[in-house]
Amino acid sequence: MAVVIETQRFELSGFSVEVQRPNARGDPDEVLYKFAVPLEDPSLRWVHWKEGVYVLWLSPALGESVELPPSRGIFG
């Protein structure tokens, strides 16, 4: 029997997050983020989890892409 997990939406100051496809464990397989400002806005600071700490992340130029390795983050 398949477990049905509903989409969750979170409204925060300046952006919203919608878990569109949670898996059977409840972890997100697909997440949609909507920001009140363009992603290049200097009010935003981008970081990623690397070797146990958050480090500054610079987004790729328009038309380029980058793949970040998966990580369970600070909670394991």
Side-chain angles (χ1 to χ4, degrees):
M1 181 165 114
V3 175
V4 176
I5 301 174
E6 298 198 20
T7 298
Q8 293 180 306
R9 184 176 176 85
F10 305 93
E11 295 289 335
L12 299 134
S13 178
F15 73 103
S16 66
V17 179
E18 186 174 304
V19 179
Q20 296 185 320
R21 285 191 8 206
N23 61 30
R25 292 188 328 209
D27 294 328
D29 279 342
E30 186 174 314
V31 180
L32 175 65
Y33 297 89
K34 292 184 180 180
F35 291 84
V37 297
L39 299 181
E40 301 80 18
D41 193 278
S43 69
L44 300 175
R45 181 175 172 197
W46 297 100
V47 296
H48 72 105
W49 188 253
K50 183 178 181 180
E51 299 175 8
V53 296
Y54 285 112
V55 296
L56 183 63
W57 180 75
L58 301 175
S59 62
L62 188 61
E64 294 181 359
S65 64
V66 65
E67 186 173 326
L68 298 173
S71 177
R72 299 280 307 163
I74 63 173
F75 301 110

